[in-house]
């Protein structure tokens, strides 16, 4: 920070040419091109004719219209080749746009391709300029990267959304009841609906949470459920009940697409998601310790090096609360305080975006520098609310997942609305037998692993690999679950100047304080590589705006 | 406001001021390269490096007064050093990068436009090399960089809510400015012997770096006299780049944020004492013996350093008396 420095400079023999004063681009002309995976439209290289969309009927996605000649004069969809194996978000089995997609489809096919490409580039540039970035760990050169956006929105009809909303509300209600039960009386375990050892043996089970009763029994107040769609309908792939992220991309994608497709957006009367910050704040305020009428809420981040730091900053700003790190907080006399310029100020609600392990080195990992010593104790005393509560990870564990339909029936006496992906637990003899018999058709995952590690993708594995894996399963069956390979639905995305089907999922964000609140929207993730099913942003995934249409 | 946020904003203010100071020094120097004699250019470089407290290349500046080409080659290296050199923490690009990084960490306390301004400025110069900026008019680089800083302050001034964010931002800005100004004026006295045969142009360029040439001309005369210049740059309460003005801004900002805290009051008293010394005890420059003037300037620099420590102790890194925990 001091002005003095022992810098390295030396007299360099600069080439005479360097002294010349030719014309160089000015600083303002330096463009920054966002990183995109190969195969994704990035520059206006392939242009369409403005007279697009003349020769086609309604079968915009029909295979028969595809062909090399179509690209020269066709519309955005002229080379769109659907794979009937996957549900298509825009076209039905006959290649006709779904009812609710018709207006978008016909507007897009009349739009000059270069215009769409420019929108795409503008949107990505705006992400970079506004610093809407994430970081990939271990990547020095690309510390700040943007999530590529695909400008073509994905549409969800009012009826579809209404169904999703009911399903998500039901699911979260049951999961909160489940968490209250397993950290309380343990009825569901005593009744043998969910095996005791499965819960108590789960690494995410926090014995410290026993008998802790959060306000309204709300353990999970922010949840980001991953939902996929196949020909059978919507399915929950994963309940993210710990520190789900992506909501800032939902809002950023909306902002970018809204300003690009202005007329279209207005015409569709898309339901607004701009009040997410206000709802989140309201939800957190409801969860304040009893007796606190005007709670001080903070958002706790691991810091600027966390991959989702942008989102933490963004949400703190949207809610108008302080963004704190562990070192900004301290616990005194059982209460949590933050260091302000005017001394200490009491904190009532902490929306933490930091994993359980790192919250409090006195209770959890002692080697953590990210947390605040004594924080968990203050929480146990009921003097501060931590959202989500510690220990919620047990309810989104891979094998507990298989029991969620049962959990819903047990607590709510209702049939689950949203389907689970069929899951076979190898800890059960039937599950084990089924898994071993059908290894070539299943995806087998280790319970404790995530991010695709220790996974066997049956259809892509060699017989030897399958035999080895079967041996592993037999040795420790309880550590494995098996699921069928999923036929994720496809949605049209820009690629090489035209639209092409890419696999998508969606992550709506469910808030729950005193009651459940869901903004009508979701972060729609896209696998931008052709054929890829991986939608993770760290692995070439991108995002899309998701438009929920009014009834 | 959160202590860490206040610290971040304070440093945004400091780094932006440092970047702008570098821009102004370089802009003046690049202008001189066009038509001034080599001897004058050499002295100007000495002033720049003395003011920044940085060692020039190879330990010393030694120009071949007869060879313009060498002079330009040296300038090429020196400009690179002050504008882009990765190992020079005070290089313009590094200052802008540090300002942006501090802003990134406390972005939620800044208006969107302010962050956008810094982010764009940084992205625009992140990958340029000295060859790039030299090929065109190198002045464009410093003008663009300074424009970004000016835009930032313009937007901040017109849009920011006058809460602590604003006050810590300008606190950083004026602590830095006051310190840099005192160092620059001191360097001027050290480098340019101000005996009877001084060169007017050396003092005019100092006025230009401080954006004071116009006002000086209107207030005094077009004739440049070193004692008047020094007095003007140190004591004038209406010149934004004067030491006295900087101190007044610091006193004002501290007054708002101190809230009667003992440590915070100490910072205010220090700034007030320094301002009062300038008001009442500032010596007229003696052309033969500059020691009294330079001693005062050293005192001001030392005050700024201590002021920084006071602010840090009062707002950013204060001690909590009870032990944390349970």
């Amino acid at each position: 920070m001091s002005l003095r420095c022992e810098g390295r400079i030396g007299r360099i023999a600069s080439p005479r040419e360097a002294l010349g004063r030719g014309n160089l681009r000015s600083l303002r002309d330096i463009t920054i091109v966002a990183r995109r995976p190969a195969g994704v439209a990035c520059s206006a290289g392939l242009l369409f004719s403005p007279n697009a969309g003349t020769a086609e009927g309604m079968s915009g996605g029909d295979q028969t219209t595809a062909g090399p000649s179509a690209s020269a004069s066709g519309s955005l969809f002229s080379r769109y080749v659907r794979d009937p194996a996957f549900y298509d978000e825009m076209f039905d089995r006959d290649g006709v746009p779904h009812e609710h997609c018709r207006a978008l489809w016909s507007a897009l096919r009349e739009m000059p391709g270069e215009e769409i490409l420019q929108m795409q580039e503008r949107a990505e540039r705006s992400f970079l300029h506004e610093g809407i970035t994430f970081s990939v760990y271990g990547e020095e050169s690309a510390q700040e990267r943007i999530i590529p956006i695909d400008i073509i929105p994905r549409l969800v009809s009012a009826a579809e959304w209404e169904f999703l909303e009911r399903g998500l509300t039901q699911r979260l209600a049951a999961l909160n009841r489940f968490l209250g039960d397993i950290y309380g009386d343990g009825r569901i375990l005593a009744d043998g609906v969910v095996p005791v050892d499965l819960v108590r043996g789960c690494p995410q089970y926090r014995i410290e949470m026993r008998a802790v009763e959060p306000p309204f029994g709300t353990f999970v107040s922010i949840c980001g459920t991953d939902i996929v769609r196949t020909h059978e309908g919507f399915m929950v792939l994963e309940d993210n009940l710990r520190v789900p992220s992506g909501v800032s991309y939902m809002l950023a994608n909306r902002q970018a697409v809204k300003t690009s497709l202005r007329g279209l957006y207005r015409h569709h009367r898309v339901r607004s998601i701009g009040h997410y910050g206000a709802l989140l704040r309201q939800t957190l305020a409801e969860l304040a310790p009893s007796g606190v009428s005007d709670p001080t809420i903070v958002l706790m981040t691991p810091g600027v090096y966390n991959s989702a730091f942008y989102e933490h900053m963004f949400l703190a700003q949207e809610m108008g609360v302080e963004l704190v790190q562990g070192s900004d907080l301290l616990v005194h006399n059982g209460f949590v305080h933050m260091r302000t310029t005017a001394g200490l100020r009491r904190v009532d609600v902490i929306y933490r975006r930091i994993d359980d392990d790192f919250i409090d080195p006195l209770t959890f990992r002692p080697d953590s520098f990210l947390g605040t010593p004594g924080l968990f104790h203050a929480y146990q005393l009921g003097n501060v609310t931590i959202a989500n509560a510690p220990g919620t990870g047990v309810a989104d564990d891979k094998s507990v997942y298989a029991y969620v339909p049962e959990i819903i029936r047990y607590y709510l006496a209702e049939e689950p609305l949203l389907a689970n992906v069929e899951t076979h637990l190898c800890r059960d003899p039937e599950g084990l037998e089924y898994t071993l018999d059908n290894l070539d058709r299943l995806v087998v995952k280790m319970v404790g692993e995530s991010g695709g590690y220790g996974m066997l993708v049956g259809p892509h594995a060699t017989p030897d690999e399958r035999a080895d894996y079967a041996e592993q399963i037999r040795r420790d069956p309880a550590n494995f679950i098996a699921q069928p390979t999923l036929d994720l639905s496809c949605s049209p995305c820009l690629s090489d100047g035209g639209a092409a089907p890419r696999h998508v999922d969606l992550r709506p964000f469910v808030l729950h304080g005193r009651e459940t609140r869901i903004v009508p929207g979701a972060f729609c993730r896209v696998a931008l590589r052709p054929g890829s099913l991986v939608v993770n942003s760290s692995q070439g995934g991108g995002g899309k705006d998701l438009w929920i249409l009014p009834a | 406001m959160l202590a860490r946020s206040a610290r971040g904003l304070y440093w945004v203010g400091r780094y932006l001021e440092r970047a702008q100071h570098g821009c102004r020094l370089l802009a003046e120097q690049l202008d001189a390269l066009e038509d001034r004699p080599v001897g004058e250019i050499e002295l100007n470089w000495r002033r720049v490096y003395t003011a920044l407290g940085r060692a020039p290349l190879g330990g010393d500046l030694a120009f071949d007064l007869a060879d313009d080409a060498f002079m330009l080659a040296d300038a090429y290296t020196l400009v690179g050093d002050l504008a882009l050199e990765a190992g020079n923490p005070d290089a313009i690009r590094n200052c802008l990068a540090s300002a942006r990084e501090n802003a990134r960490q406390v972005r939620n306390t800044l208006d969107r436009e302010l962050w956008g301004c810094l982010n764009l400025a940084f992205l625009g110069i992140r990958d340029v090399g000295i060859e790039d900026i030299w090929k065109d008019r190198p002045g464009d680089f410093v003008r663009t960089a300074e424009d970004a800083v000016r835009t930032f302050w313009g937007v901040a001034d017109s849009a920011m809510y006058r809460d602590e964010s604003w006050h810590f931002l300008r606190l950083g800005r004026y602590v830095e400015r006051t310190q840099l100004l005192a160092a620059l004026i001191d360097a001027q006295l050290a480098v340019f012997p101000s005996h009877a045969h001084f060169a007017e142009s050396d003092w005019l360029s100092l006025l230009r770096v401080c954006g004071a040439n116009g006002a000086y001309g209107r207030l005094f005369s077009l004739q440049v006299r070193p004692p008047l210049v020094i007095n003007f740059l140190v004591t004038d309460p209406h010149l934004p780049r004067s030491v006295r003005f900087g101190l007044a801004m610091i006193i004002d900002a501290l007054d708002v944020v101190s809230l009667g805290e003992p440590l915070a009051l100490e910072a205010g008293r220090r700034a007030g004492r320094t301002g009062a010394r300038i008001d009442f005890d500032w010596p007229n420059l003696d052309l033969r013996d500059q020691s009294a003037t330079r001693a005062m300037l050293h005192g001001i620099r030392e005050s700024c350093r201590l002021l920084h420590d006071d602010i840090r102790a009062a707002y950013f890194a204060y001690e909590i008396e009870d032990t944390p925990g349970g």
Side-chain angles (χ1 to χ4, degrees), chain A residues 73-114:
Chain A
S73 61
S75 83
L76 189 64
F77 295 104
S78 59
R79 286 179 299 152
Y80 192 80
V81 184
R82 274 180 314 107
D83 185 337
F86 308 107
Y87 181 86
D88 193 289
E89 299 289 343
M90 188 174 269
F91 302 104
D92 68 15
R93 285 171 194 270
D94 303 320
V96 179
H98 301 302
E99 182 70 40
H100 66 278
C101 298
R102 246 167 236 172
L104 178 70
W105 169 77
S106 68
L108 285 178
R109 65 202 277 271
E110 276 157 32
M111 199 176 282
E114 50 205 296

Short mmCIF file of all heavy atoms in Angstrom, two decimals, chain A residues 73-114:
data_model
loop_
_atom_site.label_atom_id
_atom_site.label_comp_id
_atom_site.label_asym_id
_atom_site.label_seq_id
_atom_site.Cartn_x
_atom_site.Cartn_y
_atom_site.Cartn_z
N SER A 73 -31.03 -19.86 -47.04
CA SER A 73 -32.16 -18.95 -47.10
C SER A 73 -33.24 -19.27 -46.08
O SER A 73 -34.25 -18.63 -46.03
CB SER A 73 -32.77 -19.01 -48.50
OG SER A 73 -33.23 -20.33 -48.72
N GLY A 74 -33.01 -20.29 -45.25
CA GLY A 74 -34.07 -20.73 -44.35
C GLY A 74 -34.20 -19.86 -43.14
O GLY A 74 -33.46 -18.90 -42.93
N SER A 75 -35.19 -20.19 -42.32
CA SER A 75 -35.39 -19.44 -41.11
C SER A 75 -34.53 -20.03 -40.01
O SER A 75 -33.80 -20.99 -40.20
CB SER A 75 -36.85 -19.49 -40.71
OG SER A 75 -37.09 -20.69 -40.01
N LEU A 76 -34.66 -19.43 -38.85
CA LEU A 76 -33.91 -19.89 -37.69
C LEU A 76 -34.08 -21.39 -37.44
O LEU A 76 -33.17 -22.07 -37.00
CB LEU A 76 -34.42 -19.10 -36.47
CG LEU A 76 -33.66 -19.24 -35.16
CD1 LEU A 76 -32.25 -18.70 -35.30
CD2 LEU A 76 -34.40 -18.49 -34.06
N PHE A 77 -35.29 -21.90 -37.77
CA PHE A 77 -35.59 -23.29 -37.43
C PHE A 77 -35.43 -24.25 -38.61
O PHE A 77 -35.77 -25.42 -38.50
CB PHE A 77 -37.02 -23.39 -36.89
CG PHE A 77 -37.20 -22.66 -35.60
CD1 PHE A 77 -37.85 -21.43 -35.57
CD2 PHE A 77 -36.69 -23.17 -34.43
CE1 PHE A 77 -37.99 -20.74 -34.38
CE2 PHE A 77 -36.84 -22.49 -33.23
CZ PHE A 77 -37.49 -21.27 -33.20
N SER A 78 -34.92 -23.76 -39.75
CA SER A 78 -34.95 -24.63 -40.93
C SER A 78 -34.01 -25.81 -40.81
O SER A 78 -34.17 -26.80 -41.51
CB SER A 78 -34.62 -23.81 -42.18
OG SER A 78 -33.35 -23.23 -42.01
N ARG A 79 -33.00 -25.71 -39.95
CA ARG A 79 -32.12 -26.86 -39.79
C ARG A 79 -32.31 -27.53 -38.42
O ARG A 79 -31.43 -28.23 -37.93
CB ARG A 79 -30.66 -26.42 -39.96
CG ARG A 79 -30.32 -26.13 -41.41
CD ARG A 79 -28.88 -25.69 -41.51
NE ARG A 79 -28.65 -24.47 -40.74
CZ ARG A 79 -27.47 -24.14 -40.20
NH1 ARG A 79 -26.45 -24.96 -40.33
NH2 ARG A 79 -27.35 -23.03 -39.53
N TYR A 80 -33.45 -27.28 -37.83
CA TYR A 80 -33.71 -27.81 -36.49
C TYR A 80 -34.11 -29.27 -36.61
O TYR A 80 -35.16 -29.60 -37.16
CB TYR A 80 -34.81 -27.00 -35.83
CG TYR A 80 -34.97 -27.27 -34.35
CD1 TYR A 80 -34.13 -26.66 -33.43
CD2 TYR A 80 -35.97 -28.10 -33.88
CE1 TYR A 80 -34.27 -26.89 -32.08
CE2 TYR A 80 -36.12 -28.34 -32.52
CZ TYR A 80 -35.26 -27.73 -31.63
OH TYR A 80 -35.41 -27.96 -30.29
N VAL A 81 -33.29 -30.16 -36.11
CA VAL A 81 -33.57 -31.58 -36.22
C VAL A 81 -33.90 -32.14 -34.84
O VAL A 81 -33.03 -32.27 -33.99
CB VAL A 81 -32.34 -32.34 -36.80
CG1 VAL A 81 -32.69 -33.81 -37.00
CG2 VAL A 81 -31.93 -31.71 -38.11
N ARG A 82 -35.18 -32.44 -34.64
CA ARG A 82 -35.57 -32.99 -33.35
C ARG A 82 -35.18 -34.45 -33.26
O ARG A 82 -35.18 -35.17 -34.24
CB ARG A 82 -37.09 -32.91 -33.18
CG ARG A 82 -37.59 -31.60 -32.64
CD ARG A 82 -39.09 -31.64 -32.51
NE ARG A 82 -39.72 -32.19 -33.71
CZ ARG A 82 -40.25 -33.39 -33.78
NH1 ARG A 82 -40.27 -34.18 -32.73
NH2 ARG A 82 -40.80 -33.81 -34.90
N ASP A 83 -34.85 -34.87 -32.06
CA ASP A 83 -34.67 -36.29 -31.81
C ASP A 83 -35.92 -36.75 -31.07
O ASP A 83 -36.16 -36.32 -29.94
CB ASP A 83 -33.41 -36.51 -30.96
CG ASP A 83 -33.13 -38.00 -30.77
OD1 ASP A 83 -34.08 -38.80 -30.90
OD2 ASP A 83 -31.98 -38.35 -30.49
N PRO A 84 -36.71 -37.61 -31.69
CA PRO A 84 -37.99 -37.99 -31.07
C PRO A 84 -37.81 -38.69 -29.71
O PRO A 84 -38.77 -38.82 -28.96
CB PRO A 84 -38.63 -38.94 -32.08
CG PRO A 84 -37.61 -39.21 -33.12
CD PRO A 84 -36.51 -38.22 -33.01
N ALA A 85 -36.58 -39.11 -29.41
CA ALA A 85 -36.37 -39.76 -28.11
C ALA A 85 -36.57 -38.79 -26.96
O ALA A 85 -36.82 -39.20 -25.83
CB ALA A 85 -34.95 -40.34 -28.05
N PHE A 86 -36.42 -37.49 -27.23
CA PHE A 86 -36.48 -36.50 -26.16
C PHE A 86 -37.69 -35.60 -26.33
O PHE A 86 -38.03 -35.21 -27.44
CB PHE A 86 -35.21 -35.65 -26.15
CG PHE A 86 -33.96 -36.46 -26.13
CD1 PHE A 86 -33.16 -36.57 -27.27
CD2 PHE A 86 -33.58 -37.14 -24.98
CE1 PHE A 86 -32.00 -37.32 -27.26
CE2 PHE A 86 -32.42 -37.90 -24.96
CZ PHE A 86 -31.63 -38.00 -26.10
N TYR A 87 -38.29 -35.26 -25.22
CA TYR A 87 -39.37 -34.29 -25.25
C TYR A 87 -38.81 -32.96 -25.74
O TYR A 87 -37.72 -32.55 -25.33
CB TYR A 87 -39.96 -34.12 -23.84
CG TYR A 87 -41.11 -33.15 -23.78
CD1 TYR A 87 -42.41 -33.59 -24.04
CD2 TYR A 87 -40.91 -31.81 -23.49
CE1 TYR A 87 -43.47 -32.70 -24.01
CE2 TYR A 87 -41.96 -30.92 -23.46
CZ TYR A 87 -43.24 -31.37 -23.73
OH TYR A 87 -44.28 -30.49 -23.71
N ASP A 88 -39.53 -32.29 -26.63
CA ASP A 88 -39.05 -30.99 -27.10
C ASP A 88 -39.91 -29.89 -26.49
O ASP A 88 -41.14 -29.96 -26.52
CB ASP A 88 -39.11 -30.91 -28.63
CG ASP A 88 -38.32 -29.72 -29.15
OD1 ASP A 88 -38.77 -28.58 -28.96
OD2 ASP A 88 -37.24 -29.94 -29.73
N GLU A 89 -39.22 -28.87 -25.94
CA GLU A 89 -39.92 -27.81 -25.22
C GLU A 89 -40.69 -26.89 -26.16
O GLU A 89 -41.54 -26.13 -25.72
CB GLU A 89 -38.95 -26.99 -24.36
CG GLU A 89 -38.22 -27.79 -23.29
CD GLU A 89 -39.15 -28.22 -22.14
OE1 GLU A 89 -40.23 -27.64 -22.01
OE2 GLU A 89 -38.77 -29.15 -21.40
N MET A 90 -40.37 -26.92 -27.46
CA MET A 90 -41.07 -26.04 -28.37
C MET A 90 -42.00 -26.78 -29.34
O MET A 90 -43.06 -26.27 -29.71
CB MET A 90 -40.09 -25.17 -29.14
CG MET A 90 -40.78 -24.09 -29.97
SD MET A 90 -39.64 -22.95 -30.74
CE MET A 90 -39.49 -21.68 -29.52
N PHE A 91 -41.62 -27.99 -29.75
CA PHE A 91 -42.40 -28.69 -30.78
C PHE A 91 -42.98 -30.00 -30.25
O PHE A 91 -42.36 -30.67 -29.42
CB PHE A 91 -41.51 -29.00 -31.99
CG PHE A 91 -40.90 -27.78 -32.59
CD1 PHE A 91 -39.56 -27.48 -32.38
CD2 PHE A 91 -41.65 -26.92 -33.38
CE1 PHE A 91 -38.99 -26.33 -32.93
CE2 PHE A 91 -41.09 -25.78 -33.94
CZ PHE A 91 -39.75 -25.49 -33.71
N ASP A 92 -44.13 -30.34 -30.75
CA ASP A 92 -44.69 -31.63 -30.36
C ASP A 92 -44.12 -32.74 -31.26
O ASP A 92 -43.26 -32.50 -32.10
CB ASP A 92 -46.23 -31.58 -30.37
CG ASP A 92 -46.79 -31.43 -31.78
OD1 ASP A 92 -46.03 -31.64 -32.77
OD2 ASP A 92 -47.98 -31.09 -31.91
N ARG A 93 -44.66 -33.95 -31.12
CA ARG A 93 -44.10 -35.09 -31.84
C ARG A 93 -44.18 -34.94 -33.35
O ARG A 93 -43.40 -35.53 -34.10
CB ARG A 93 -44.83 -36.37 -31.44
CG ARG A 93 -44.42 -36.88 -30.07
CD ARG A 93 -45.34 -38.01 -29.64
NE ARG A 93 -45.21 -38.32 -28.21
CZ ARG A 93 -44.33 -39.22 -27.74
NH1 ARG A 93 -43.56 -39.88 -28.54
NH2 ARG A 93 -44.27 -39.44 -26.44
N ASP A 94 -45.15 -34.13 -33.81
CA ASP A 94 -45.30 -33.94 -35.25
C ASP A 94 -44.51 -32.74 -35.76
O ASP A 94 -44.64 -32.34 -36.92
CB ASP A 94 -46.78 -33.75 -35.60
CG ASP A 94 -47.61 -34.93 -35.12
OD1 ASP A 94 -47.11 -36.07 -35.24
OD2 ASP A 94 -48.72 -34.71 -34.60
N GLY A 95 -43.74 -32.14 -34.87
CA GLY A 95 -42.96 -30.98 -35.31
C GLY A 95 -43.75 -29.69 -35.32
O GLY A 95 -43.30 -28.68 -35.85
N VAL A 96 -44.94 -29.73 -34.76
CA VAL A 96 -45.77 -28.52 -34.69
C VAL A 96 -45.49 -27.85 -33.34
O VAL A 96 -45.40 -28.54 -32.32
CB VAL A 96 -47.26 -28.90 -34.78
CG1 VAL A 96 -48.14 -27.65 -34.68
CG2 VAL A 96 -47.52 -29.66 -36.07
N PRO A 97 -45.33 -26.52 -33.34
CA PRO A 97 -45.06 -25.86 -32.06
C PRO A 97 -46.21 -26.08 -31.07
O PRO A 97 -47.38 -26.09 -31.47
CB PRO A 97 -44.96 -24.38 -32.42
CG PRO A 97 -44.79 -24.32 -33.88
CD PRO A 97 -45.37 -25.58 -34.46
N HIS A 98 -45.86 -26.27 -29.80
CA HIS A 98 -46.89 -26.33 -28.77
C HIS A 98 -47.71 -25.05 -28.84
O HIS A 98 -47.19 -23.99 -29.19
CB HIS A 98 -46.27 -26.43 -27.37
CG HIS A 98 -45.39 -27.63 -27.19
ND1 HIS A 98 -45.83 -28.92 -27.38
CD2 HIS A 98 -44.09 -27.73 -26.82
CE1 HIS A 98 -44.84 -29.76 -27.13
NE2 HIS A 98 -43.77 -29.07 -26.81
N GLU A 99 -48.95 -25.17 -28.44
CA GLU A 99 -49.87 -24.03 -28.45
C GLU A 99 -49.21 -22.76 -27.86
O GLU A 99 -49.20 -21.70 -28.50
CB GLU A 99 -51.11 -24.42 -27.63
CG GLU A 99 -52.19 -23.37 -27.57
CD GLU A 99 -52.88 -23.17 -28.92
OE1 GLU A 99 -53.12 -24.18 -29.60
OE2 GLU A 99 -53.16 -22.00 -29.27
N HIS A 100 -48.65 -22.90 -26.67
CA HIS A 100 -48.13 -21.70 -25.99
C HIS A 100 -46.81 -21.20 -26.58
O HIS A 100 -46.33 -20.16 -26.21
CB HIS A 100 -47.99 -21.95 -24.47
CG HIS A 100 -46.95 -22.98 -24.11
ND1 HIS A 100 -47.18 -24.33 -24.15
CD2 HIS A 100 -45.66 -22.85 -23.71
CE1 HIS A 100 -46.09 -24.99 -23.79
NE2 HIS A 100 -45.17 -24.11 -23.52
N CYS A 101 -46.23 -21.95 -27.51
CA CYS A 101 -44.96 -21.52 -28.11
C CYS A 101 -45.15 -20.90 -29.49
O CYS A 101 -44.18 -20.47 -30.12
CB CYS A 101 -44.00 -22.70 -28.23
SG CYS A 101 -43.55 -23.43 -26.65
N ARG A 102 -46.37 -20.91 -29.98
CA ARG A 102 -46.59 -20.52 -31.37
C ARG A 102 -46.18 -19.09 -31.68
O ARG A 102 -45.52 -18.82 -32.68
CB ARG A 102 -48.06 -20.72 -31.74
CG ARG A 102 -48.17 -21.81 -32.78
CD ARG A 102 -49.56 -22.29 -32.98
NE ARG A 102 -49.56 -23.73 -32.78
CZ ARG A 102 -50.65 -24.46 -32.73
NH1 ARG A 102 -51.83 -23.89 -32.85
NH2 ARG A 102 -50.57 -25.75 -32.55
N ALA A 103 -46.56 -18.18 -30.80
CA ALA A 103 -46.25 -16.77 -31.07
C ALA A 103 -44.75 -16.54 -31.10
O ALA A 103 -44.22 -15.86 -31.97
CB ALA A 103 -46.91 -15.90 -30.00
N LEU A 104 -44.05 -17.15 -30.17
CA LEU A 104 -42.60 -16.99 -30.12
C LEU A 104 -41.96 -17.59 -31.37
O LEU A 104 -41.11 -16.98 -32.01
CB LEU A 104 -42.04 -17.68 -28.87
CG LEU A 104 -40.52 -17.61 -28.72
CD1 LEU A 104 -40.07 -16.19 -28.40
CD2 LEU A 104 -40.01 -18.56 -27.64
N TRP A 105 -42.42 -18.79 -31.70
CA TRP A 105 -41.85 -19.48 -32.86
C TRP A 105 -42.02 -18.66 -34.12
O TRP A 105 -41.07 -18.45 -34.89
CB TRP A 105 -42.54 -20.85 -32.99
CG TRP A 105 -42.24 -21.56 -34.27
CD1 TRP A 105 -41.09 -22.23 -34.58
CD2 TRP A 105 -43.11 -21.68 -35.40
NE1 TRP A 105 -41.19 -22.76 -35.83
CE2 TRP A 105 -42.41 -22.44 -36.36
CE3 TRP A 105 -44.40 -21.23 -35.68
CZ2 TRP A 105 -42.96 -22.75 -37.61
CZ3 TRP A 105 -44.95 -21.54 -36.91
CH2 TRP A 105 -44.24 -22.29 -37.86
N SER A 106 -43.23 -18.16 -34.35
CA SER A 106 -43.43 -17.47 -35.62
C SER A 106 -42.70 -16.12 -35.63
O SER A 106 -42.22 -15.68 -36.66
CB SER A 106 -44.92 -17.31 -35.93
OG SER A 106 -45.50 -16.41 -35.03
N ALA A 107 -42.56 -15.49 -34.47
CA ALA A 107 -41.81 -14.22 -34.44
C ALA A 107 -40.33 -14.47 -34.68
O ALA A 107 -39.68 -13.73 -35.42
CB ALA A 107 -42.03 -13.53 -33.10
N LEU A 108 -39.81 -15.52 -34.07
CA LEU A 108 -38.38 -15.79 -34.20
C LEU A 108 -38.01 -16.16 -35.63
O LEU A 108 -36.98 -15.78 -36.14
CB LEU A 108 -37.94 -16.91 -33.25
CG LEU A 108 -37.83 -16.54 -31.77
CD1 LEU A 108 -37.43 -17.77 -30.96
CD2 LEU A 108 -36.81 -15.43 -31.55
N ARG A 109 -38.89 -16.92 -36.30
CA ARG A 109 -38.51 -17.36 -37.64
C ARG A 109 -38.58 -16.23 -38.65
O ARG A 109 -38.02 -16.33 -39.74
CB ARG A 109 -39.34 -18.57 -38.08
CG ARG A 109 -40.82 -18.31 -38.26
CD ARG A 109 -41.56 -19.62 -38.16
NE ARG A 109 -41.55 -20.36 -39.42
CZ ARG A 109 -42.48 -20.21 -40.37
NH1 ARG A 109 -43.44 -19.32 -40.22
NH2 ARG A 109 -42.42 -20.91 -41.46
N GLU A 110 -39.24 -15.14 -38.27
CA GLU A 110 -39.25 -14.00 -39.17
C GLU A 110 -38.16 -12.99 -38.85
O GLU A 110 -37.99 -12.01 -39.54
CB GLU A 110 -40.62 -13.31 -39.11
CG GLU A 110 -41.63 -13.97 -40.02
CD GLU A 110 -43.06 -13.69 -39.60
OE1 GLU A 110 -43.30 -12.60 -39.07
OE2 GLU A 110 -43.91 -14.57 -39.82
N MET A 111 -37.46 -13.24 -37.80
CA MET A 111 -36.43 -12.29 -37.38
C MET A 111 -35.14 -12.58 -38.14
O MET A 111 -34.74 -13.73 -38.25
CB MET A 111 -36.21 -12.45 -35.87
CG MET A 111 -35.56 -11.29 -35.21
SD MET A 111 -35.45 -11.57 -33.44
CE MET A 111 -37.11 -11.20 -32.93
N PRO A 112 -34.47 -11.55 -38.68
CA PRO A 112 -33.20 -11.81 -39.37
C PRO A 112 -32.20 -12.44 -38.42
O PRO A 112 -32.07 -12.01 -37.27
CB PRO A 112 -32.74 -10.42 -39.80
CG PRO A 112 -33.92 -9.54 -39.68
CD PRO A 112 -34.83 -10.14 -38.67
N GLY A 113 -31.53 -13.47 -38.91
CA GLY A 113 -30.62 -14.22 -38.06
C GLY A 113 -29.53 -13.35 -37.46
O GLY A 113 -29.16 -13.51 -36.31
N GLU A 114 -29.04 -12.39 -38.27
CA GLU A 114 -27.94 -11.58 -37.73
C GLU A 114 -28.40 -10.76 -36.53
O GLU A 114 -27.65 -10.50 -35.61
CB GLU A 114 -27.36 -10.67 -38.82
CG GLU A 114 -28.41 -9.88 -39.56
CD GLU A 114 -27.93 -9.49 -40.97
OE1 GLU A 114 -26.96 -8.74 -41.04
OE2 GLU A 114 -28.52 -9.96 -41.96
#
